[in-house]
Amino acid sequence: MPTLDLSVSSVDLTRTICDIPSVSGDEGTLADAIFATVSPLDHLDVYRDGDTIVARTNLGRAQRAVVAGHIDTVPINGNVPTKDITLDGEPFLCGRGTVDMKAGVAVQLKLAAELVAPRVDVTWMWYDHEEVDADLNGLTRLARTRPDLFAGDFAILGEPSNGEVEGGCNGNLRAMVRTTGVRAHSARAWIGENAIHKAAPILGRLADYRPRDVEVEGLVYREGLNAVRIGGGVAGNVIPDLCEVEVNYRFAPSRDVAEAERHVRDVFAGFDVEIVDAAAGARPGLDAPLAQEFLRAVGAEPRPKYGWTDVARFSALGVPAVNYGPGDPHLAHHDDERVAIAQIEAVERGLRAWLTTS
């Protein structure tokens, strides 16, 4: 089993854990290494659920923070082991997981080992299956079996944010908008009804749609409604009797799922609409006292998170949460995934200052 040396720099630790493959569904080796490394630490109570590891201080502090990061990655594509590169004079660490989000996990592991007496109690969570279906997500499982472990006054998810603070997140909804017709031989098309042609108004409504910019607690979230897939037809000489347009709606956290669903149904009034997946967003929650202290400690000006992240899971449990981690989110899952070494070091400094400075 690979071993983790938590006394090395967070940059070196990033190299180590990135070089341990942990594609979703194959996190066991890295989870074993994390569990074996943090279990002997006397200041932490350690709990394991599958390939999710939770380590907690229990110092009787008045407040508790939760700091979480996922240990899985999307599939490797010739980008492991990691390598050091320089771009425009700036050093980067390049390889799968460097951005999403093992650099953040490395920072968390190092601080979990070193901060024996943080000023607030801390729950560290390293979880599996973030990059795949939500029902497999380690946090989904943990929230069902041990919801008490999520208790806290404020949470930080180490998703890549360029070392900036991104508050809350947009909600996410997927819908299938369908048209139906009548099959016929394409040589006698007038006998049938072409379901694909009937979908033209759906695309027209999408083309004419103007998404909202919505201010929520001082942050402006940008919404979006887009076709992401279209399908129909059974053969090259058959008039299709079914067409499905898959639509993705990213909605501001001022709306709940029910409101988002009503909006989508209103946009496509007159069509058959099936909601196939939906997840609520998360309000920023930056008015929480511990959140304000965090912003001051890291010297950050908060921004909105346009994508959906697991901060929504904490928000649903009543814990305000933000995204804060090294790495450019535009490079997540990219074959040239790379993180600036300076960002890893900056995020470590920011979290350390927040957890140690009263």
Side-chain angles (χ1 to χ4, degrees), residues 2-346:
T3 58
L4 302 179
D5 181 358
L6 302 187
S7 68
V8 303
S9 71
S10 55
V11 175
D12 288 338
L13 187 56
T14 300
R15 291 189 183 93
T16 299
I17 66 174
C18 285
D19 288 346
I20 301 173
S22 58
V23 175
S24 302
D26 192 28
E27 299 97 328
T29 299
L30 180 55
D32 289 345
I34 292 173
F35 184 72
T37 302
V38 299
S39 291
L41 299 176
D42 292 337
H43 64 288
L44 295 175
D45 294 335
V46 181
Y47 173 79
R48 181 168 184 173
D49 182 313
D51 288 331
T52 291
I53 316 297
V54 180
R56 308 172 78 230
T57 65
N58 284 293
L59 302 168
R61 304 294 199 230
Q63 294 176 302
R64 176 174 291 277
V66 183
V67 184
H70 66 84
I71 63 173
D72 62 320
T73 72
V74 297
I76 294 167
N77 188 23
N79 44 13
V80 168
T82 54
K83 61 182 180 181
D84 289 272
I85 63 173
T86 300
L87 295 173
D88 297 324
E90 183 176 6
F92 285 79
L93 188 60
C94 185
R96 176 63 77 226
T98 51
V99 170
D100 195 10
M101 54 161 285
K102 289 183 174 181
V105 169
V107 168
Q108 295 169 8
L109 285 167
K110 183 169 179 62
L111 293 179
E114 294 182 357
L115 302 185
V116 176
R119 68 182 187 88
V120 296
D121 273 312
V122 184
T123 299
W124 306 93
M125 290 182 171
W126 303 291
Y127 62 100
D128 59 292
H129 284 90
E130 190 272 347
E131 299 288 5
V132 289
D133 291 348
D135 60 346
L136 298 175
N137 188 298
L139 292 186
T140 301
R141 184 178 65 249
L142 199 64
R144 184 171 57 247
T145 60
R146 290 293 306 273
D148 57 298
L149 294 177
F150 288 79
D153 299 283
F154 181 58
I156 294 173
L157 188 66
E159 286 285 353
S161 64
N162 269 321
E164 302 292 337
V165 176
E166 295 181 331
C169 69
N170 272 336
N172 184 27
L173 180 148
R174 289 188 302 115
M176 300 300 294
V177 187
R178 298 187 177 94
T179 57
T180 58
V182 177
R183 289 191 191 184
H185 196 295
S186 60
R188 293 173 289 280
W190 59 88
I191 296 175
E193 295 180 14
N194 195 310
I196 292 178
H197 293 180
K198 287 184 176 182
I202 297 173
L203 301 180
R205 293 183 193 185
L206 287 166
D208 292 339
Y209 185 84
R210 294 296 176 263
R212 305 185 308 163
D213 287 346
V214 184
E215 183 173 330
V216 182
E217 298 174 12
L219 301 184
V220 178
Y221 293 83
R222 180 176 300 172
E223 295 192 328
L225 184 68
N226 292 280
V228 294
R229 186 181 67 84
I230 187 167
V234 293
N237 60 351
V238 177
I239 298 301
D241 62 343
L242 176 66
C243 182
E244 295 182 320
V245 180
E246 183 174 346
V247 174
N248 183 220
Y249 180 37
R250 300 289 177 147
F251 56 95
S254 55
R255 278 181 166 156
D256 61 21
V257 168
E259 291 171 316
E261 178 177 341
R262 285 195 297 271
H263 179 68
V264 169
R265 292 189 183 279
D266 287 344
V267 171
F268 298 107
F271 290 97
D272 175 19
V273 177
E274 179 188 2
I275 307 301
V276 296
D277 187 35
R283 301 181 74 91
L286 293 171
D287 54 347
L290 202 53
Q292 289 293 310
E293 294 170 11
F294 168 69
L295 291 176
R296 288 193 294 270
V298 302
E301 184 70 28
R303 301 183 299 185
K305 185 70 170 180
Y306 298 130
W308 189 92
T309 74
D310 281 319
V311 295
R313 301 185 189 279
F314 292 97
S315 180
L317 294 169
V319 182
V322 300
N323 305 274
Y324 177 63
D328 183 347
H330 292 99
L331 292 174
H333 304 181
H334 199 284
D335 285 345
D336 291 329
E337 191 173 346
R338 60 187 182 273
V339 62
I341 286 175
Q343 280 191 9
I344 301 175
E345 296 169 341

